[in-house]
Amino acid sequence: MTSQQKIFWSIVALVVLLVGALMLSGGVDRQLAPELVAAWVALQPAGSQLAQTGRIEIPAGTEFELHAVLEARDWSGKKVYFTEADRLVIEGEEIPTELLRRWSRSQAPRILWFTVEGLSPFLAVEEVEGLEEFRFREVFRSDWARAWSIPGDLQPSAERQEVRDMVTGLPRFGTQRFHVRIEMYGPKSSITPEVRLRSPQATELPDRVKDFPTAIASLPGGLEVPSQVFGLSQIEVAPEALGAAAEVLAEWTRNRVAFSRLTVLREMLDRSGLTYEDLEWTDVDLEEGPAWSPTAVEPGDFLRVGERIAILVADRGEAGILDRSDLCFDFIKGARVRPLNEIFVGEGLVEWARQTSSPSPPSD
């Protein structure tokens, strides 16, 4: 071997040693690390091949997944997306599959999941300016897995799921919004993250409601509208301020931001092409009620005594007959599912009206 060859191979060996030392120290890994840009939440209903940001609407009881998405730029400046979703749509545009990555770097991110809910399940407003008090908050779900993909859950943070299931026996329905934080920690600190990225935040609502990560699960037919407001805050305005607040509350209800009893009723009737004055009320006796059938009582019909109005949901007492054990939606200081005997107590008749057409005479 000539002296020039010896010099050449010595240089090669030195370079190899330097690269090895850099690799062992993490220098190259840090130099080639992607630049982290943004975090997203993508929702994927069962049976769909696509995970998408923004809003999904699904039938009640449909399962769905939440996927954390980390948008980044690689060493060449090209956008890449770290996620466990196989196909991804962000703001209506599908991301080419070659830009999707699984996270495989030595530095593991910490992924924290939140629901985004109203500050209170119920707000009483005396003046229209009081609507400005309504805010959303991010609620950390410590019982959810800190993983890239997790099962979606519509349950509000304060609700006890086992109690609800025992009372209603209905598939899960309602509206829920989601937020994710992705934190990266360096070798010098396991307490304070070097980088923290957040998906769209509670402070962006209600302005960003149309593209905020949201799942809306609905019961069918006449129960679609009232079932969708479960999980939202109820806002009731004093009568003297209602006129000025009516359109704001109606818009919030349409966008599933918040609701009031009147705006839920109004949207239900609008979809049926009716007004409240069009409803024809018939006296019924809950001790000897009419039948549950498409030509008599059905889900979505209304019951009232005075100003208290409930929406019929399901037959739970004597099969096929409307009675006090049957379930309804009640909107007093928050949306609830209750048996009729918790609302209409004592003896006497209640008034019944169909949501879609004039009622048939009650059966004996």
Side-chain angles (χ1 to χ4, degrees):
M1 181 181 296
T2 67
S3 59
Q4 287 184 336
Q5 289 175 323
K6 290 180 180 179
I7 293 171
F8 171 77
W9 286 112
S10 297
I11 292 172
V12 169
L14 179 61
V15 169
V16 169
L17 287 172
L18 289 173
V19 170
L22 284 171
M23 292 292 290
L24 289 173
S25 67
V28 170
D29 187 64
R30 287 193 294 273
Q31 288 294 323
L32 297 180
E35 176 190 359
L36 308 183
V37 175
W40 303 87
V41 175
L43 299 90
Q44 182 174 1
S48 172
Q49 301 301 311
L50 286 174
Q52 63 184 65
T53 62
R55 166 170 160 167
I56 63 169
E57 296 192 21
I58 53 179
T62 302
E63 295 181 351
F64 62 98
E65 276 190 291
L66 300 176
H67 296 282
V69 180
L70 180 56
E71 180 182 332
R73 295 186 185 277
D74 66 14
W75 62 271
S76 68
K78 182 175 65 176
K79 277 188 177 182
V80 293
Y81 298 85
F82 294 97
T83 182
E84 292 186 352
D86 294 322
R87 293 177 63 188
L88 177 65
V89 173
I90 293 182
E91 296 186 328
E93 181 177 344
E94 183 164 1
I95 304 301
T97 54
E98 62 268 21
L99 301 183
L100 303 183
R101 304 278 193 276
R102 297 286 197 273
W103 186 268
S104 60
R105 306 189 67 81
S106 58
Q107 187 182 17
R110 185 168 72 166
I111 299 173
L112 307 176
W113 288 100
F114 299 74
T115 50
V116 180
E117 307 175 26
L119 285 176
S120 170
F122 179 79
L123 178 64
V125 176
E126 296 297 324
E127 300 178 351
V128 66
E129 290 78 10
L131 293 177
E132 299 175 1
E133 299 175 11
F134 178 65
R135 295 286 187 276
F136 281 92
R137 59 176 178 149
E138 293 150 15
V139 182
F140 176 51
R141 305 306 291 263
S142 60
D143 54 328
W144 292 6
R146 300 184 181 186
W148 284 94
S149 297
I150 64 171
D153 193 342
L154 295 170
Q155 182 181 355
S157 56
E159 181 188 77
R160 294 178 58 196
Q161 177 73 46
E162 68 277 8
V163 172
R164 179 191 179 279
D165 287 344
M166 180 178 65
V167 171
T168 72
L170 297 170
R172 187 79 219 192
F173 55 87
T175 295
Q176 188 58 271
R177 294 182 166 86
F178 304 96
H179 170 78
V180 71
R181 297 178 192 171
I182 302 176
E183 300 178 341
M184 304 296 298
Y185 291 82
K188 296 182 179 180
S189 175
S190 60
I191 299 176
T192 303
E194 291 184 344
V195 178
R196 176 186 287 125
L197 296 174
R198 305 168 186 258
S199 66
Q201 302 174 60
T203 54
E204 299 177 51
L205 291 171
D207 294 340
R208 198 175 174 178
V209 66
K210 292 185 178 180
D211 61 358
F212 203 92
T214 306
I216 302 177
S218 314
L219 291 171
L223 294 175
E224 179 180 352
V225 171
S227 65
Q228 289 181 353
V229 305
F230 275 71
L232 302 178
S233 294
Q234 180 176 353
I235 302 176
E236 296 298 337
V237 181
E240 57 271 19
L242 185 56
E247 287 308 312
V248 173
L249 287 175
E251 182 181 1
W252 284 1
T253 302
R254 285 192 299 270
N255 289 325
R256 304 300 181 252
V257 171
F259 73 95
S260 73
R261 285 172 292 176
L262 289 179
T263 55
V264 169
L265 184 61
R266 172 178 165 181
E267 186 173 336
M268 292 175 69
L269 294 175
D270 284 347
R271 293 194 180 194
S272 299
L274 302 173
T275 67
Y276 190 78
E277 290 72 24
D278 293 328
L279 294 177
E280 298 185 20
W281 296 93
T282 302
D283 290 341
V284 296
D285 187 347
L286 294 180
E287 303 303 325
E288 300 177 0
W292 284 86
S293 76
T295 58
V297 173
E298 63 180 354
D301 287 355
F302 305 109
L303 288 183
R304 76 177 182 185
V305 171
E307 296 184 356
R308 187 75 174 268
I309 297 179
I311 301 168
L312 289 174
V313 174
D315 185 5
R316 286 292 185 270
E318 182 180 350
I321 301 298
L322 179 66
D323 60 34
R324 295 182 183 277
S325 297
D326 295 338
L327 296 180
C328 68
F329 289 156
D330 185 38
F331 300 107
I332 298 295
K333 294 188 177 181
R336 299 286 186 273
V337 181
R338 291 189 169 101
L340 293 176
N341 59 19
E342 289 187 8
I343 301 173
F344 305 114
V345 298
E347 298 180 354
L349 303 177
V350 300
E351 294 181 285
W352 159 58
R354 291 180 65 86
Q355 183 186 156
T356 55
S357 62
S358 300
S360 304
S363 60
D364 293 333

